[in-house]
Amino acid sequence: MCERGPWNIMHQAEGSGTEFQEQLLDFLGRVKGEQIDIAAAVYYMIQKESNRADAFRFFLEHADELETTGEAEAESVFTASEIQKLSRNCGQLAEGILDNVIGKNLDEADFYAELWKRGIEENINLPEEKEKIYALYRIWTDGRIPYFKLDEGLLMTNERFREIVGEKQSQLKQVRFLLNSRFSQRTQRSSLLVRILDSCETEEEKAVILAQILLMAEYKAYKRSTDS
């Protein structure tokens, strides 16, 4: 295994699932380089596994847990022009497949198995190896990965939502003030927001308050980005 310099995983020997996990964690814990090149190395590792869907799942569930020492460097696989071309040709396709599979709300094992099969391994719209690698890269960097099967959550009519917003104007004004105030630590703001949520008497009220907190925070972030 390469200690320093370019990391080329293409010719590593095939191993068991446990060996793959150990090799992957060792690699991710030491490698530095462009994320798309790291994805290429991982793609070749996955291809050597008998259960590729499980290897794919393990990678996506654990890839961002480690801090790298940076002592090994991923081999450069893509040129800048190739990445631009792949982004144009494959970016929306990969995102669309991910949207579709997430929308089915599958169990975690079924989700990763279908995403590997439809999104990468048997995707007729990605016939080239570099296209499959790019799809793996885009899936890895999506904010919805790692995936979790979710319950339906609380459903509410628009009329009931507006009714609760009207009833909770005092708390919502406090929320707006807190989000726009300065604190030396983030936990100060978050703990005060928790107090507001704890003051609610029902799950419906908590859900509406939290929905408004998220909306205000999103608007604040949007304003910051447009003003800069």
Side-chain angles (χ1 to χ4, degrees), residues 50 76 82 216:
S50 57
S76 181
E82 283 180 319
M216 292 179 198

Side-chain angles (χ1 to χ4, degrees), residues 5-53:
W7 187 291
N8 188 329
I9 208 74
M10 292 180 66
H11 302 297
Q12 295 288 334
E14 181 177 353
S16 68
T18 301
E19 290 172 347
F20 165 82
Q21 294 173 9
E22 292 174 351
Q23 184 183 24
L24 176 68
L25 294 178
D26 176 69
F27 170 62
L28 294 175
R30 298 196 292 131
V31 72
K32 67 178 180 180
E34 297 296 328
Q35 201 164 2
I36 193 168
D37 293 325
I38 295 172
V42 173
Y43 173 83
Y44 293 123
M45 294 173 69
I46 292 173
Q47 284 297 102
K48 297 181 184 301
E49 291 301 299
S50 57
N51 192 329
R52 297 186 183 97

Side-chain angles (χ1 to χ4, degrees), residues 53 56 97-98 100-123 139:
F56 173 66
I97 292 171
L98 184 57
N100 181 266
V101 181
I102 286 176
K104 296 183 178 182
N105 200 30
L106 301 168
D107 291 333
E108 284 84 353
D110 293 336
F111 168 81
Y112 287 107
E114 180 162 344
L115 186 59
W116 171 257
K117 182 178 180 180
R118 288 186 54 208
I120 299 178
E121 190 168 49
E122 297 181 7
N123 192 332
I139 291 168

Side-chain angles (χ1 to χ4, degrees), residues 126-140:
L126 303 175
E128 302 297 327
E129 189 171 66
K130 286 190 174 182
E131 294 174 337
K132 296 180 186 296
I133 292 170
Y134 185 80
L136 175 62
Y137 159 73
R138 285 294 295 262
I139 291 168
W140 174 23

